[in-house]
Amino acid sequence: MNLTTPSLLACLMLGLSYNPVFAADVANNSKAAAGSAATAIDAAKHPFLDPNQLPSWSKLTPEKLEQDALLALELSQANLDKICSVTSPDFENTISALELAVDPLETVWSRAMTLDSLSDNAEQRKVIAKLTPKVSAFFASISLNDKLWAVIKRYSQSEQAKALQGEQQRLLQLTVDSFKNNGADLPAEKKQRVAQIQARLATLSKDFQQKVKDSTNEWEYVTSDASMLEGLPEAVKAQALAEALAAKKASEKAPAWRFTQQFTSYGPVMQFAKSDELRKQMWLGRCSIGNGKYDTEKIIWEILSLRSELAKLLGYANFADFKLHDRMAGSGSKALAFIEDMHAAVRPAFLKEMTELSSYKAKKTGVVSDKLSPWELAYWSEQQRKELFDFDSEQLREYYAIDNVMQGVFGVASKLYDLRFEELPTFYKTRGDKPADAVETWHEEVKFYAVYDNKNGKLLGRFYTDWHPRQSKRGGAWMSPLDVGHNGKDGRAAKQHLAIIAGNLTKPLEGKPALLDHREVETLFHEFGHLLHVLLSDTERSSLGGTSVAWDFVELPSQILENWTWEKEAMDLYAKHYKSGELMPAALYKKMLAARNFQSANQAIRQCAVAKFDLELHIQPEKFAGRSLDEVDREVLQAYRVPLTQEQPSTMRGLNHVFAGGYSAGYYSYKWAEALDADAFGKFKQEGILNPQVGEKFRQSVLSKGNTKPAMQLFVDFMGREPDKNALLKRSGIEVPDAVSAK
Ligand SMILES: [Zn+2]
């Protein structure tokens, strides 16, 4: 198992959501799962423990989950007990054994979390809720296990341990650090408190996520007034009609349109709907997430207070310092300084953009007002952009059929890293006969692929894709590494990787393929970037592979890949008209590029605002406790916003990232990694965006290395120097102020 610090935090959050990043830390080794168990597992009786890397999803029922999770807890505990009784410790029977000890539980739980995020149902939810406290208590108990720590400590001080090299040395060092940073050296009563806090936090995060999910899913706005649809793209109207029909709120004779808080509904309405009323309703819906009967505020304050207590118990001034001590940023104050510098650099451009937007609207409507309404921002921005650049972003969709985009991302990866992708047949239980050698999936829309290294023909790994929204799926887009492999260079049999990329992208409609917008193409490339980090991982130890890197580095491989969605040379591999196959015309591409940095300061400020509030809440929660969250939000972020006609509830109310994902005190990582990616992409831009030599260098320095070296070292290995944070401002077309460039 992964015993690095992020993993223990991940373990603490296991079962809360399938976060793209912390999912990385529940990577399991299902073959080892069976192998390390005392007795062979009967896969028919225990499908969640099936040693086959590809489980039979239809057999993974809630009853089996409960039974298998309890068995996995026993098996994992037995593995730990075995380490506790070691009398002559060596690397194999301590550090290596510990990495593998929890495989049975990680196997079961990562499969359960896959179903929780992709194929949710009430009964399964109940079982997961029942198991979550047990599972998180188990993980929390590891670093508080005195006997275990005594054995590990004794080994770490031995001559053999001091002579370790390479990955073995790294794994030892991270293991010891993580024990210390999780309270292993604390007196008994404090250790007990740490365990209590971790268990309570796991439950609170699960509750938070549930409230967000329920409030998102419950909300709908149905109208039979066709005039409200004016301005909406045809695909969005068709989707809303289909939604209303499916919900039995409309019929062929009496059409109606159902809008939801799913981004494929919310986003286009806010951007395109002429009707102020429709946009206002959607905005009110957004405000209801984590609010009203699903209020998450109490949970938020309790989480913050417990996190603060935990950090202090462990010897840190605050939770942000605890979380960031082994990341690139190093401390809460350094991360905050990075965000505040970024804000200072971007603010003048942001204010200018907002003034221009206000006067544009006044000019168009003839009504002068000093404040815009929150539901007007995206709409008037889109109008202004269309006029300024003569560009309708919806025109791009016809060039972004999802299968073409997938071929495009395969093409880019193949050229850069010399890979070959192959789609394999799949079957889903309700879809009739099973074709020979087909792979079972959890839904009929799921596809399955294998990827090979052309240099030696070796299978590197396999992955599922699941791209479209449905009721049983959670929101957003993510990559989860179901099973990170290892290269076998330490003498153990090599194992290939297995992962999932999933999202809520526009569905196919009316016999047309799914036609994505540009943001969705970026999302797909982004998740694919995370996927490559896993598939190209080339490490001896699974727990050091793939996305197990420092949190503020993990978005580099994903965000850098988004750059290829803006380069014509790469787009010519996939941006073809879905009917005619013609390439995107150069004129349309030019417009798209010209409009790229429109309101880039606004975008940047929004992310800085979430990052700033996240850090402030985790650096000094006691300063704000007892007050209204919305009020504190407004106070802290005053300089990050412009006044609007109506105050918005705090975005934290619905932010799974911070309260049910791995981004607590870590939201700044997006901007941080963007600074890294803008800088690193400069090298591709200079030497050729499809240049295989630069690709190979990136693969060897970053993608294949996982967490085998500190993140800064990986970056320096690729670039030959430390990061230049002004690269991001330059890419966004924002002037770099002297004060910032001098730093
Ligand atoms: Zn990401």
Side-chain angles (χ1 to χ4, degrees):
M1 69 166 260
N2 189 336
L3 252 186
T4 59
T5 302
S7 165
L8 279 178
L9 292 167
C11 295
L12 148 77
M13 322 251 293
L14 265 162
L16 308 174
S17 78
Y18 223 39
N19 181 283
V21 176
F22 79 71
D25 303 314
V26 296
N28 62 89
N29 176 340
S30 33
K31 277 187 191 122
S36 60
T39 46
I41 297 291
D42 177 352
K45 279 191 193 147
H46 301 286
F48 275 90
L49 278 158
D50 187 345
N52 188 332
Q53 198 181 38
L54 308 176
S56 167
W57 296 97
S58 58
K59 297 196 179 102
L60 304 186
T61 61
E63 309 81 69
K64 291 288 183 191
L65 171 59
E66 183 157 14
Q67 164 210 295
D68 290 357
L70 295 176
L71 174 60
L73 277 163
E74 263 176 50
L75 294 171
S76 299
Q77 187 60 54
N79 290 338
L80 292 177
D81 292 346
K82 210 171 137 196
I83 303 172
C84 293
S85 62
V86 161
T87 46
S88 39
D90 58 26
F91 182 81
E92 287 309 316
N93 67 19
T94 59
I95 306 301
S96 176
L98 182 56
E99 189 204 35
L100 306 173
V102 191
D103 280 343
L105 185 56
E106 290 189 337
T107 300
V108 170
W109 207 240
S110 74
R111 288 169 178 178
M113 290 303 96
T114 299
L115 292 170
D116 189 41
S117 51
L118 292 165
S119 184
D120 177 37
N121 64 61
E123 205 191 329
Q124 180 179 288
R125 207 187 265 194
K126 243 199 268 169
V127 173
I128 290 174
K130 196 166 142 192
L131 290 169
T132 297
K134 288 191 184 129
V135 172
S136 45
F138 174 82
F139 279 111
S141 74
I142 298 174
S143 53
L144 301 173
N145 182 327
D146 291 330
K147 281 189 193 151
L148 186 60
W149 176 223
V151 172
I152 300 289
K153 207 169 175 177
R154 206 175 117 210
Y155 173 66
S156 73
Q157 289 159 353
S158 71
E159 287 308 312
Q160 194 207 64
K162 285 176 190 152
L164 289 179
Q165 303 269 324
E167 288 190 36
Q168 292 195 338
Q169 183 197 34
R170 177 93 175 144
L171 188 60
L172 168 74
Q173 177 213 328
L174 292 171
T175 304
V176 169
D177 282 357
S178 103
F179 268 95
K180 288 188 179 160
N181 284 315
N182 283 281
D185 281 330
L186 290 178
E189 76 280 2
K190 286 191 177 169
K191 267 190 196 174
Q192 207 186 358
R193 180 62 188 150
V194 167
Q196 265 173 3
I197 294 176
Q198 286 176 334
R200 177 71 184 148
L201 281 172
T203 304
L204 287 170
S205 290
K206 190 80 200 155
D207 290 351
F208 180 92
Q209 192 193 25
Q210 201 58 54
K211 280 184 196 286
V212 172
K213 192 168 171 183
D214 288 344
S215 54
T216 306
N217 285 340
E218 193 186 88
W219 191 91
E220 62 170 16
Y221 181 75
V222 182
T223 178
S224 55
D225 178 359
S227 72
M228 287 186 100
L229 311 179
E230 212 185 323
L232 287 179
E234 288 307 318
V236 177
K237 287 189 216 173
Q239 183 194 318
L241 178 65
E243 289 260 3
L245 289 169
K248 302 208 165 27
K249 307 245 162 153
S251 65
E252 295 285 315
K253 280 184 193 157
W257 295 266
R258 179 175 183 263
F259 297 95
T260 68
Q261 288 296 325
Q262 296 297 336
F263 200 79
T264 51
S265 181
Y266 178 82
V269 168
M270 298 312 279
Q271 200 176 353
F272 300 112
K274 259 195 175 156
S275 161
D276 230 32
E277 181 57 24
L278 181 57
R279 280 184 274 109
K280 186 176 176 182
Q281 291 303 327
M282 290 299 263
W283 177 78
L284 288 171
R286 185 104 317 200
C287 297
S288 74
I289 295 178
N291 219 335
K293 91 176 191 218
Y294 296 106
D295 199 342
T296 52
E297 181 167 350
K298 252 171 101 179
I299 299 178
I300 289 175
W301 290 120
E302 190 181 345
I303 288 177
L304 288 170
S305 147
L306 289 172
R307 283 177 179 170
S308 170
E309 186 187 343
L310 180 66
K312 290 194 169 105
L313 274 168
L314 296 171
Y316 293 88
N318 58 63
F319 186 76
D321 281 1
F322 165 55
K323 280 298 287 275
L324 308 189
H325 78 273
D326 60 353
R327 297 193 183 168
M328 285 182 93
S331 71
S333 55
K334 272 201 190 142
L336 188 59
F338 167 78
I339 288 298
E340 287 177 340
D341 279 358
M342 182 74 68
H343 169 251
V346 172
R347 188 170 150 83
F350 166 66
L351 293 177
K352 190 165 163 259
E353 284 175 8
M354 289 299 107
T355 313
E356 283 169 1
L357 180 65
S358 237
S359 35
Y360 175 79
K361 188 211 152 190
K363 196 178 87 193
K364 290 290 154 184
T365 58
V367 184
V368 181
S369 63
D370 57 341
K371 288 176 192 161
L372 290 166
S373 293
W375 53 89
E376 292 179 327
L377 298 170
Y379 174 74
W380 287 106
S381 296
E382 178 62 20
Q383 298 297 312
Q384 190 191 7
R385 177 166 71 158
K386 252 188 219 166
E387 201 173 304
L388 276 173
F389 303 100
D390 181 30
F391 173 62
D392 175 1
S393 57
E394 283 296 293
Q395 283 174 312
L396 300 174
R397 282 192 195 264
E398 306 203 316
Y399 296 92
Y400 292 150
I402 193 164
D403 289 345
N404 288 344
V405 177
M406 285 298 292
Q407 288 311 314
V409 82
F410 290 167
V412 169
S414 302
K415 284 179 191 292
L416 286 174
Y417 310 121
D418 203 11
L419 306 174
R420 182 171 65 82
F421 292 86
E422 186 184 316
E423 183 173 352
L424 300 170
T426 57
F427 75 100
Y428 172 65
K429 60 179 175 179
T430 59
R431 214 171 48 177
D433 295 338
K434 169 187 176 305
D437 69 25
V439 173
E440 186 179 339
T441 67
W442 51 89
H443 191 271
E444 55 193 354
E445 284 175 3
V446 177
K447 295 188 176 184
F448 189 77
Y449 302 86
V451 56
Y452 297 87
D453 195 330
N454 272 332
K455 277 195 286 294
N456 48 25
K458 245 172 51 185
L459 173 70
L460 295 171
R462 299 175 291 180
F463 58 98
Y464 303 90
T465 65
D466 184 352
W467 283 130
H468 304 295
R470 56 177 175 265
Q471 275 288 320
S472 60
K473 190 195 258 191
R474 80 166 173 83
W478 66 96
M479 185 284 296
S480 41
L482 270 182
D483 194 4
V484 177
H486 44 77
N487 59 20
K489 284 184 188 154
D490 59 356
R492 295 180 299 155
K495 184 177 61 151
Q496 286 78 36
H497 310 291
L498 179 72
I500 298 174
I501 40 178
N504 286 274
L505 308 179
T506 301
K507 287 183 194 174
L509 272 170
E510 295 169 336
K512 288 184 194 170
L515 298 175
L516 309 183
D517 67 16
H518 191 265
R519 185 56 232 156
E520 292 179 316
V521 175
E522 281 186 324
T523 300
L524 190 152
F525 271 66
H526 178 107
E527 300 313 333
F528 202 83
H530 282 309
L531 181 73
L532 286 174
H533 202 177
V534 172
L535 295 176
L536 299 182
S537 175
D538 187 9
T539 63
E540 290 171 23
R541 311 299 315 195
S542 293
S543 66
L544 295 178
T547 48
S548 64
V549 295
W551 216 281
D552 45 12
F553 189 71
V554 77
E555 295 295 333
L556 169 64
S558 52
Q559 289 186 172
I560 198 170
L561 208 61
E562 293 179 28
N563 290 286
W564 275 262
T565 69
W566 294 97
E567 300 289 332
K568 193 71 166 92
E569 191 186 349
M571 289 169 70
D572 283 350
L573 299 172
Y574 65 92
K576 299 171 184 168
H577 195 280
Y578 78 98
K579 272 191 201 150
S580 66
E582 271 171 50
L583 289 178
M584 181 184 287
L588 181 59
Y589 170 69
K590 270 192 187 153
K591 287 181 189 177
M592 160 184 150
L593 209 58
R596 178 183 185 180
N597 282 334
F598 174 67
Q599 286 196 358
S600 61
N602 183 14
Q603 300 301 330
I605 289 274
R606 275 189 212 205
Q607 272 191 316
C608 286
V610 180
K612 157 110 172 151
F613 197 35
D614 169 38
L615 284 166
E616 292 279 8
L617 287 175
H618 286 100
I619 289 174
Q620 44 182 355
E622 47 295 315
K623 182 177 158 191
F624 308 118
R627 293 174 58 194
S628 134
L629 181 73
D630 302 327
E631 187 190 302
V632 175
D633 183 306
R634 284 197 283 277
E635 183 182 296
V636 171
L637 296 178
Q638 208 183 11
Y640 288 67
R641 303 220 170 99
V642 289
L644 299 171
T645 57
Q646 290 208 27
E647 303 280 13
Q648 317 208 41
S650 175
T651 43
M652 288 295 159
R653 289 176 172 279
L655 205 63
N656 278 325
H657 283 75
V658 171
F659 296 106
Y663 284 85
S664 45
Y667 203 87
Y668 78 91
S669 320
Y670 282 106
K671 271 277 158 261
W672 185 280
E674 229 184 295
L676 300 181
D677 105 64
D679 193 14
F681 184 64
K683 196 175 171 80
F684 284 98
K685 194 82 179 155
Q686 216 167 36
E687 298 174 37
I689 60 148
L690 297 176
N691 180 335
Q693 276 93 43
V694 190
E696 183 62 15
K697 176 100 179 152
F698 191 63
R699 178 174 174 178
Q700 292 312 329
S701 316
V702 176
L703 294 177
S704 64
K705 291 290 184 285
N707 191 23
T708 54
K709 291 180 185 180
M712 186 61 91
Q713 189 57 49
L714 301 178
F715 188 89
V716 172
D717 287 349
F718 177 59
M719 291 299 282
R721 59 160 173 77
E722 293 204 351
D724 167 13
K725 65 182 175 181
N726 289 332
L728 174 58
L729 295 173
K730 284 182 205 146
R731 185 178 68 186
S732 312
I734 293 165
E735 231 176 283
V736 182
D738 293 343
V740 176
S741 56
K743 276 182 191 173

